[in-house]
Amino acid sequence: MLIKFYGVRGSIASPGADTVRYGGNTSCVSVEAEDGSLVVFDAGTGIRELGKTLGEQASEREINLLFSHYHWDHIQGFPFFLPAYQKDQVINLLAAHLDDVNVYSILTQMTDPHFPVPSDKLEAKITLLSSDKNGLLIGSNNIYTKRINHPGGGSAYILENDQGSMAYITDNELFPPNTPETSYEEWVAFVQNVDFLIHDAMYLDEELKNTHGWGHSLISQTLQLAVDAKVPNLVLFHHDPARTDEQLDMIKQKSRDWMKQKHPNCQVYVAKEGDEYQLNKGSVTLKNV
Ligand SMILES: [Zn+2]
Ligand SMILES: [Zn+2]
């Protein structure tokens, strides 16, 4: 399967000279399976770029758009997603563990005075997917879900097919100050057999005093999760908008040095816009594009 990062930033898009290498777009990751099925996680500003490609292709395949939750940095790209305006496209939406009614908040953001084009101008066929406690099946992909620890709630996802498995877990505070929706032990169990883990790693240890309870994890906590769950590939994701390229380079180096001591079989990556990872029979290759 091919996993591609279109947006890696948290909270707000942050373009500029200091973020040009890792990218300033907010959350969006696509997964293409061998059977041609397509799953897209979140519709942050990064989804605009994905939409350009999908909009030019024949639309035989459906677009399955899975939301972690509806905070702006995860929905704001949708009004700029070209396939949504094309009548031969089918877009299936899912936000597990959240009320189906609220999934339309991605459409209701397209109202006056916030947006000039009303959502009834969208020509794609938009449907809702549903999941139960066993998850759901999309093409050849088994999808499993888990409640995230984040204000307002939301969902983490695991996608698994015959090439391996990947987890998309963002806006998740591993150790929140209140009672968690999902305990640390449950997270370890959830990602234990996953080949490729994408997890929120928004803050540095010294930022915890100001950010505890905001629904995000420390980089150090996310690294520890990869160790405890014996994950072979970890991608640090949902970077703070103020984090510069230089700081992310340092975070990558320090995290790799730390991991070499604790769990040498784990490869640590820092999510970067445009990066593509190929996952074949459990082994991961980063395609530098
Ligand atoms: Zn976010
Ligand atoms: Zn959020």
Side-chain angles (χ1 to χ4, degrees), residues 72-98:
W72 277 343
D73 53 324
H74 300 261
I75 66 166
Q76 227 166 13
F78 189 78
F80 298 89
F81 186 48
L82 181 58
Y85 295 87
Q86 297 177 323
K87 71 173 179 341
D88 51 352
Q89 301 272 7
V90 177
I91 303 176
N92 305 313
L93 307 176
L94 174 73
H97 302 298
L98 290 170

Side-chain angles (χ1 to χ4, degrees), residues 60-180:
E60 292 112 42
R61 65 176 168 189
E62 301 187 353
I63 299 165
N64 299 288
L65 183 47
L66 275 48
F67 289 92
S68 58
H69 62 313
Y70 309 122
H71 287 162
W72 277 343
D73 53 324
H74 300 261
I75 66 166
Q76 227 166 13
F78 189 78
F80 298 89
F81 186 48
L82 181 58
Y85 295 87
Q86 297 177 323
K87 71 173 179 341
D88 51 352
Q89 301 272 7
V90 177
I91 303 176
N92 305 313
L93 307 176
L94 174 73
H97 302 298
L98 290 170
D99 194 332
D100 272 354
V101 174
N102 290 334
V103 88
Y104 291 110
S105 64
I106 69 156
L107 305 179
T108 54
Q109 67 177 322
M110 300 175 71
T111 48
D112 187 58
H114 300 297
F115 199 72
V117 183
S119 61
D120 60 15
K121 291 276 188 275
L122 300 177
E123 300 215 20
K125 183 179 175 207
I126 296 178
T127 74
L128 293 186
L129 295 171
S130 62
S131 65
D132 59 23
K133 64 178 174 29
N134 299 315
L136 71 157
L137 190 66
I138 297 176
S140 60
N141 311 293
N142 282 307
I143 309 281
Y144 306 102
T145 71
K146 187 69 83 183
R147 288 177 190 276
I148 51 175
N149 301 324
H150 195 65
S155 187
Y157 297 93
I158 285 177
L159 180 155
E160 177 193 72
N161 59 36
D162 59 4
Q163 295 301 315
S165 57
M166 59 83 64
Y168 178 79
I169 308 177
T170 190
D171 297 60
N172 183 47
E173 188 162 6
L174 287 165
F175 296 98
N178 45 355
T179 309

Side-chain angles (χ1 to χ4, degrees), residues 17 43 47 50 54 56 68 94 99 124 126 130 143 154 158 165 176 195 198 219 224 231 278 288:
I47 203 171
L50 170 63
L54 294 177
E56 287 162 7
S68 58
L94 174 73
D99 194 332
I126 296 178
S130 62
I143 309 281
I158 285 177
S165 57
D195 298 310
I198 301 167
I219 295 162
Q224 189 62 50
V231 167
Q278 186 78 47
N288 279 310

